[in-house]
Amino acid sequence: MRVSKFDRPYESGRPERHQLRVENISLSFGGVRALTDVSLTCEPGEILAIIGPNGAGKTSMLNCICGLYHPQKGRIMYGNHNLARTSSHHLPKMGIARTFQNIELFRHMTVLNNLMLGRHVHMKKNILTALLYWGWAEREEIENRRFVEHVIDLLEIQHIRKQMVGSLAYGLQKRVELGRALAMNPGLILLDEPMAGMNVEEKEDMARFILDINEEWGITTILIEHDMGVVMDISDRVAVLEFGRLIGIGTPDEVRENPDVIRAYLGQDHGGRS
Amino acid sequence: MAEPLLALNNIEVIYNRVILVLKGLSLVVEPNQIVALLGANGAGKTTTLKAISGLLKPENGAVTDGNIQFEGKPIHQLDAAAIVRRGIFQVMEGRRVFEHLTVEENLRAGAYTQNNPLETRRLIQLVYDYFPRLKERRHQQAGYMSGGEQQMLAIGRSLMASPKLILLDEPSLGLAPLLVQEIFSIIQRINQEQGTTILLVEQNANIALKVAHYAYIMESGRVVLDGKPDDLVNNADVREFYLGLTEVGSRKSYRDVKHYKRRKRWLS
Amino acid sequence: MMATTQCGVFHESYRSDMQLRPTTWQRLRVVVVFAFIIILPFVASAQNLRIANTVVIAAIGAIGLNILVGYTGQISLGQGAFLAVGAYSTGLLMHYYELPWPIALVLGALITAMFGAVFGIPSLRLKGLYLAVATLAAQQIVGWFVRNWDPIDGTKADGAARELSMPRALFFGDKLNDSEFAFYVVGMIALVIVAVVATNLFRTHIGRAFVAIRDQDIAAEVMGVNVFQYKLVAFATSSFFVGLAGGLTAVHSTNISFERFTIDVSIEYLAMIIIGGLGSISGSIYGAAFVKLLPEILRDVGLWIADQGWLASGQLDQYLPFAEDAAFGLAIILTLIFEPEGIVKLWSDLKAYFRLWPFSY
Amino acid sequence: MTIDTLPKQLRENAQRFGNKIALREKEYGIWQSISWAQYLERVQHFALGLHSLGFKRGDIVGIIGDNRPEWVITELSAQSLGGASIGIYQDSTTEEVAYIISKCDMRFLVVEDQEQVDKILDLWDEIKGVEKVIYYDPKGLREYQHDFLMAFPEVEALGAAFQQQNPSFYDQSVDQGKGADIAILSTTSGTTSRPKLAKITHNNLIGMGVGLTSVDAFGADDQFLSFLPLAWIGEQMISVACGMRVGFALSFPEETGTVQSDLREIGPRIIFAPPRIWENMLSQVQVKIEDTSWLKRRVFDWSMRHGYRLADKRFAKQELTTQDRWLQRFLHWICFASILDQLGLRYMKWAYTGGAALGPDVFRFFHGMGVNLKQGYGQTETTGICVVHADGDIKFQTVGKAMPGAEIKIDPSGEILAKGTMCFAGYYQNEEATAESMTADGWVRTGDAGYFDDDGHLIVIDRAKDVMTLHDGTKFSPQFIENKLKFSQYIREAVVFGGGDLPYVTAFINIDFGNVGKWAENHQLAYTTYTDLAQKPEVYALVLQDVERTNADLPNAAKIQRFLLLHKELDADDAELTRTRKVRRGYIAKNYQEILDGLYSDKNSIDIQSVITYQDGRTATLNVTLRIESLRK
Amino acid sequence: MFKRFLIITVTLLIVFAGATPRTSHEATLAQDMEPITVGAIFDLTGPTSDVSQFYAQGMLGYVDWLNANGGIEGHPIEMISQDYAYSVETAENLYVEFVNAGSVVFQGWGTGDTEALRGRIAEDEIPFMSASYSATLGDPAEAPYNFLVGTSYSDQAIILMQAMLDEWLDQGYAAEEMKVAFFHNDSPFGTSPLDDAEAWAAEHGIATVRVPMPRGATGFDAEITTNVVEAEATHIIIQNVSSPAALLVRNLGDLGLLDFVQVGCLNWCADELLINGAGDYAEGIMGAIPFAPTSVEREGQADAIAWLDETDGPSLAESTLHYTQGWVTMAVMAEGMRLTLANGEELTGPNIKANLETLAEFDTGGVTAPITFTAEDHRGNRALHVYRVEDGVWVEASDLIDLREMEMDME
């Protein structure tokens, strides 16, 4: 069976997309408040950026959404599920994927295997067939490989397909991590500083990929990013956190003009490519 | 021209005995200057810094060819500790501070080459002058500070060794715009007031070219372009691939990025 | 970048791309290995074949341990215990239920798998050294059980010594504990199956999940891997193979006593996978061979040296056996210093050296 | 029914080979294949799709893009409808593209991706006649809402629907085709001026295929990787003409950047590549050998020494002794096999170089390693090739003998003339040029000067008009000197001037960055960029040695007296090379008039302003000071 | 990379160069007759090496002495031996190798290997002796080819208890007031005598308790507190090797219990090493010692003393009683072979077994009680002297206590 550039493999097998509603969540670690009464929504298909100074609680927010932290107060509703009370390994089944700020790839696996792990939830778990690698297990591997190859093509990482992730440059690792999340064929993707440590050229690539997955694959995207150029260009809406509180949310233009945001985060030279 | 403070001559770096990372890389750092090293990820910038500071060995890397001269003397055979004693201090990417120590303990740890307690006190005061925020948090555990404060601490700690040359690896990584501006203006002040030479690796070409006296651009383990920032910002490739400017000089929108790239020429 | 393939080898389907041995050379190596395996029993002396058999058993056990330690990153000091469970359950099944040995072997391995899964439970909370200590408990508990559990005595006419007396296992009329040839056939078939099956495992999502847990358990969790469940599966799978090795030890012996399954054995197996290469099936086999053959080779070399008359006979042999221990320790230290990734890395370096011939990158 | 057109051949092949693989493309990690039957089906659909869109007999479809199945499908589709295709180099500037499009009155364009679509959009106002632009890689095109844009599968779907309605239309259309119909237009390499469009007929292509395959009997099972631009006649000649004739599988690489590894995977048995490719491979081997360990280098040196000895024996047509043959096998086993493996040449049976002259040293090197490398000679006007070495009759100074079906003669002025089935049908809409290119009795003027040696092998001197008359009256070929210079591993490209009004011989030289860089590293010479390295006095001294070595074999008047190392590599984007990477001597002379003047003055250095062109058409000016090295006593 | 290969290879070679593990003790006196091959394994580096090394020297010493004195009917003995570090697996490997090399009899060492090889030697018909004295091994129905030269552990324990009981009664206590704690190695070796000993104690109204001694323990205070102090044991019998036994004795001494509790050792700790290890605390400890300690003079030690002297070896006292133990064990095996040859029979396992079974009241010069094997009983004797440590040496503390005689008396 030929795989064509005109295929749209992401159109089948993806869980339904829902609105994400974060409702009054508060999170604290032993008295230190990371998030205080934050509420926001993210509509299906939109790109929502979360910005804010270092330590404002942006990553904590993502961790709450994907089940790594459980907020003490509030709900995070995705469809009928309250994510605030769900273990993180259940999230992929609901179609939620994420990447990490400090790259949490499986360093001793090839790029291909990292991406194949993204397909984990789409594969049936049966240790016996796995051991024998007979027929069924092999077919399943091949089917999922096909999907993964589309991700590889999208992210232009063909040349490193069979390299160990640990040996790759930082920028490529970021790309692979995005690929791994994408391989899940999620409905909602959470990206934690996808462009940190990249030069303009690499950021352009990454922006292109994010737009591709958002517009072509139709994946709802929530991202944390410091580069205002990128944030203002590609996001539909921007949420601003400071000291664990939401101090503004709106379209890039609205946020750009918000005095609180300028004071806390942007500075005078805001909106520039810095 | 006076002898350069640091000169890398044709160094070749190989990791794990087979992976060639730097090939025939040469660059020169003049005293009292800020020299920026720009380039994409994987171009070998961090490797270059590690080659200078002797930190390749722990990562199974080795300078297999060429030499590195510091104040006219070869240092590429020395181990990391000896290089620090010669006056080169590397501030690692990702703000590696001692998380369980307080700010002040971190600074004292940075002064381990100092034997004179008076001098140590003077240096701590100096660091606090540059980074008032650190003074505010002097008794706080470093691990609980925000990314920007940790970055400040990492730079401050490097000052404690009174180095002649600071190797600064991506000070802006993961920092909010306001903080980036703040840190870079401090870096510039340190360079001007202390006369400390700085070799700066940075992805944010915009700000790096603003503070640097000279810059090198690396691609695939080689220098492809070098020159004064003023010249470089006029180079078409730098403008397009490092500054994100369009032909007429306005900022390109990230929405309009193409799926193909123009070939780079790297001519100047 | 290093090319991993050879000129003229290309894949027109994912199936062929995902094959284990795509190039001619790799296939040739497989043929050579199989030829060696088949010819060996016909040319080796009985005692050499016996040594080969101990290597075979050790290799199966080492593969099992490597699945847990090397691939999944869960350190275990309970190898001896798991081997004992395999050996005793196989033996007792044969003794009390008079099960044919192949069935007893498989059931024994399954019992060990369950046992392993139970001892994997602490891995939910414990990591690294702490988990190692927890598995050490398995060693102690099993040791105690073996020394004190009455049914083991019952296998003998009088219950003086606590050993399991093994009923005879026959393979085409030959006793497995007597005919080294017969055992070689059985053991080698088992090893080949285990090696293939374990290799297959790591081509699938289940095996990948194991490695993911080792490399980044949080990320694995976020990818939908139920980390705890998979750790238990890893413990069970590993223990299954270890139990099989234990069962084979049992059918290879006339009596089994707890002394075969002490903590020393656990450490010896860890040495095998460290020297051979963590996270590598073939490394497990190399390591098992190295650890089991090193003393034999040392002995032959020593003997040869003695034959040359280079050493005065008599006094020296009193303390020279320590050379064996020293060599052992040295091998582990040298491995850790020079090639922490083990023999398998040396081998792949060697292959790389020739693959890139006559270039060096 | 005779097979006189390529579409007929395709139909025949689909019948004969059925499910055997015809096209193979590295995509999504594997070599996805298309059988001959599928190939025909896709051509049918696409052709009928084009027909539905209004493609008429005699129309010309332009193709811009990397080598992909869609490229040849488009070509065959156009031919099936009685039209022709023209390949446009994908790195062509917008100006070049516009020229060709308007020259052909093109209505249909098939392009690869966003890059090419953008190029067309930029030109849209200039290229009025174009009706449809069909793309085959949709990446990044989701927001392009132009009516004239169509995806390749859409056209195929149209065609499939048409086929339902008119099941016999395609076959009728193919049957109407005649051998004398134009199959493709091919741009001449244009070292001097704007490209001309040569009309190549089906007869030409098939005739060329018959000729070449009768010299070397390719088979249906031989592998071939199509990685050179299909717009180039050389690529058309092997992959389309010969490939279609014998039915071998055509493989397309994944991307331009992966050609090396794709070549290695496929391990082709046939390759036709211009000298540049061979020179690159040599340079790659040289750099890597420099860097390898002592033992490995010794093994290589020893093997090469004996390899050369055996190759020379073969060139001299001496019988190899049993001992020699065993030595050959041993050398192959111990050294060459693995090098060839890494280069992807391990299973090479017939390797050709053509399009320009290959330096004898490079030629000998590959023969030393046991590669059956042959020179071919021809030009666009002779469908790429008309003279070639036959097996066992290889001489490195010559280009071999005329292929079956071709005749070669030298006219009194020394120009090489060719005649035969592969000679083209004239230039498209350019009677004047057509007339100039042929003699009255139908011989094609090649424009090259040459002669036959004692064995009847053709020896090509140079472009006839490049042959220079030196101040003492002797004639000399600059290309000869250039190739001699290029023997040196430190010299990548050279442009030699002299003759005519010029009082002595001079040269522009491009250093080989890899090898000179390596040399600099070994000699503790620090450098940063290409420009920096090229202007080092030490590098001048290094190159000087090679220039002197070249001079030693040259008559006095032809000796190079002054040279300089250029600050940048000659580049097709700056129009200094043709798209097939041949030096455009005239353009360079004009463009670098300042430098040339400097070479003929007493100055030791000159300051110049040089303009470089970026791919997107932007230009930038560089200010450089170039040193001049003088050999005058 | 090759540099590293080189370093590793060279280092390994250096290590190799230092090793000659297996030794062949061939005739030192020129003899024409065909040598007799005897396989033996010793623990020279393993957990029991402290005692096994002397046992090994004794056995090898006897072989050399015998060869120097005419061998067995003119045949020299070629002993092939090797360290097996108490690894059962290695023992099995070596057994197969030595039997293939022509061993007609085999000298084993520990309980682990003896038990593991028991079935195999019966099938291979190889007469087998070892320093493991489990009572089972003396039962030909269970272990047809095993022979016990020393008194079995069970018998040792019973004899020791008999001696203890005698003293206890002499001191005016009743048997019912006696309570024996068996401190034993936590292994088949350690538990081997317990069932029999407990049965005997029960018969005599003596209370008992088992106390396992964990391997590698650095102190036994906990065991002592529970099982001696709180349970008010009056006697302790140790079935373990010398080092842990010495440690136990020191612990007892440190706790001041030695004045209240009588300690006794079975043979693997009742030796010179215990005295070295326990120092003054060893005073008064009783020992069930089947092979006479070096501190008492026996006729049977004379040859060994002379041989050690002749070969400039260490003194017998330095070589401990395990030297004589090895010496005598080999001597008994040699006697079996001598009888076979003397009877004109071929030297095969079954023949040697049959001839050993004719051995009656074989005198070992007083080192052990006379040895008698029959087809029904492979326990060489069931008698020994109980010893006691006095002034730092073992002195005889009882007459020969012979269980066979006692049983016959009872019948």
Side-chain angles (χ1 to χ4, degrees), chain A residues 88 104 108 124 145 162, chain C residues 17 205 215-216 221 230:
Chain A
S88 47
E104 310 267 340
H108 299 91
K124 302 230 164 56
R145 168 79 186 270
K162 294 197 175 168
Chain C
D17 187 53
H205 64 291
D215 277 9
Q216 274 298 347
E221 185 93 17
Y230 272 82

Side-chain angles (χ1 to χ4, degrees), chain B residues 69-87:
Chain B
Q69 309 269 336
F70 184 65
E71 298 181 309
K73 292 186 206 75
I75 57 165
H76 53 285
Q77 305 283 17
L78 301 180
D79 60 31
I83 292 171
V84 171
R85 281 195 292 275
R86 294 279 176 95

Side-chain angles (χ1 to χ4, degrees), chain D residues 568-612:
Chain D
K568 62 177 268 288
E569 292 187 85
L570 296 176
D571 198 295
D573 283 353
D574 294 333
E576 295 152 346
L577 300 176
T578 66
R579 289 288 158 198
T580 51
R581 302 284 182 274
K582 277 194 270 187
V583 169
R584 298 178 69 187
R585 190 186 314 283
Y587 178 84
I588 293 171
K590 198 171 86 212
N591 199 35
Y592 291 113
Q593 190 61 48
E594 253 179 302
I595 305 183
L596 203 53
D597 290 347
L599 279 174
Y600 291 98
S601 72
D602 292 333
K603 287 189 227 161
N604 286 330
S605 69
I606 47 171
D607 299 320
I608 58 142
Q609 287 199 323
S610 118
V611 176
I612 56 164

Side-chain angles (χ1 to χ4, degrees), chain C residues 65-112:
Chain C
L65 184 63
N66 221 335
I67 289 176
L68 189 63
V69 179
Y71 283 100
T72 321
Q74 309 297 305
I75 297 172
S76 163
L77 282 173
Q79 177 80 354
F82 298 143
L83 282 167
V85 173
Y88 280 99
S89 49
T90 304
L92 291 171
L93 286 170
M94 283 168 70
H95 181 86
Y96 285 106
Y97 300 97
E98 291 173 6
L99 289 178
W101 62 267
I103 294 173
L105 266 182
V106 173
L107 286 179
L110 281 174
I111 290 169
T112 319

